[in-house]
Amino acid sequence: MRLERCFFLLLNLAVSSAVSLPTVNLNAKGVIMRAFDQFRVKSCIDFKPRDSEDFYLNIQKLNGCFSYIGQRIANGQNLSIGARCDTLGIVEHEILHALGFFHEQSRYDRDDYVQIVSANILPVNIHFFIISTFSPYDYMSVMHYRKNAFTNGNGLTIITIDPKFQDVIGQRLEMSPYDAKELNLLYSCSECLQTVEQYGENVEIIKICMFTFVLVQR
Ligand SMILES: *[C@@H]1O[C@H](CO)[C@@H](O)[C@H](O)[C@H]1NC(C)=O
């Protein structure tokens, strides 16, 4: 099921830092560098300045925070870190799109985990909620929207089936342990060991590269 995402596999991904990064501001540039570090330590994905690659990311300050999903455009694929997009979680979110990730609430099994309140969504944004991918659900994903994303003002647009995750969805601190795990699966980061061990009903220990995550569900 996860292999669905391999359609977007990026090989020899390069980042045009020389061409494009100067068009983002100094703070954004620092945050983007920190995001690259996170990919470096949590997966086998690395970024380098563009040399002569045909396919590379052109990271710019355009209008908003957005990216294509996967490798799509030759000669500089735009990825925008616009105003108020220069936080680590948002930059990781956009880079994960470029690496092939869809939004978490677009997964095939999402109706088992969240209720999408169509009546409260601005009609032009309904396409953000279309089901399009295959993989297990992760409320903590940096790719998940928040509870009132694209609301028309009448209330929540995403209600979690399990209420304890209502305020968890939409976090933009960092990619979650499972985001990192999926990235490693998708890009076959075999030199970087990942294991998930279950201890009893409520505790999971996830080891990804040099990191150990202990998930305790209450
Ligand atoms: C990329 O962004 C630039 C603006 O800097 C724009 O002129 C260009 O059309 C964009 N390319 C694509 C393929 O959207």
Side-chain angles (χ1 to χ4, degrees):
M1 293 293 243
R2 286 170 193 274
L3 290 182
E4 179 83 359
R5 284 181 171 166
C6 283
F7 287 120
F8 303 99
L9 192 66
L10 296 175
L11 294 172
N12 301 318
L13 183 82
V15 170
S16 168
S17 59
V19 174
S20 58
L21 282 178
T23 72
V24 299
N25 67 31
L26 211 57
N27 182 55
K29 193 169 177 175
V31 175
I32 292 163
M33 291 305 168
R34 280 188 23 232
F36 289 163
D37 284 343
Q38 290 300 311
F39 282 94
R40 207 167 282 134
V41 294
K42 293 183 178 172
S43 75
C44 61
I45 292 170
D46 204 352
F47 296 85
K48 66 180 193 66
R50 183 193 174 218
D51 180 9
S52 57
E53 291 83 358
D54 291 334
F55 285 92
Y56 62 95
L57 286 176
N58 194 357
I59 301 181
Q60 308 184 61
K61 183 173 185 177
L62 301 175
N63 191 16
C65 336
F66 59 84
S67 168
Y68 290 91
I69 294 175
Q71 178 179 285
R72 301 280 295 281
I73 311 251
N75 305 314
Q77 174 168 321
N78 287 348
L79 184 157
S80 174
I81 300 302
R84 294 182 301 281
C85 305
D86 49 355
T87 69
L88 188 64
I90 293 175
V91 172
E92 287 183 7
H93 179 106
E94 300 311 333
I95 294 174
L96 281 168
H97 274 318
L99 292 170
F101 280 58
F102 290 90
H103 286 132
E104 196 66 16
Q105 74 281 357
S106 299
R107 292 184 176 195
Y108 76 102
D109 57 349
R110 65 106 185 273
D111 292 336
D112 295 339
Y113 300 90
V114 292
Q115 179 198 349
I116 304 298
V117 189
S118 307
N120 291 346
I121 298 171
L122 287 165
V124 293
N125 292 314
I126 204 90
H127 65 278
F128 283 115
F129 296 86
I130 288 170
I131 293 176
S132 57
T133 57
F134 297 88
S135 61
Y137 212 84
D138 178 14
Y139 288 113
M140 286 161 59
S141 174
V142 80
M143 304 309 286
H144 205 300
Y145 275 1
R146 64 188 193 280
K147 62 186 175 183
N148 55 0
F150 300 111
T151 185
N152 56 13
N154 293 333
L156 301 185
T157 53
I158 305 179
I159 296 172
T160 60
I161 302 299
D162 184 339
K164 74 170 174 284
F165 293 110
Q166 189 63 67
D167 292 315
V168 169
I169 59 169
Q171 69 85 10
R172 288 292 179 275
L173 296 173
E174 251 279 41
M175 66 180 102
S176 73
Y178 278 111
D179 287 332
K181 190 173 157 57
E182 288 197 5
L183 191 61
N184 283 302
L185 280 172
L186 175 56
Y187 286 90
S188 305
C189 297
S190 55
E191 70 269 35
C192 199
L193 190 69
Q194 316 120 43
T195 57
V196 180
E197 295 161 31
Q198 188 84 37
Y199 289 86
E201 217 177 286
N202 298 322
V203 180
E204 259 182 7
I205 302 207
I206 302 172
K207 292 178 182 156
I208 300 164
C209 305
M210 64 187 79
F211 291 89
T212 300
F213 298 90
V214 180
L215 288 187
V216 181
Q217 295 203 352
R218 294 195 175 83

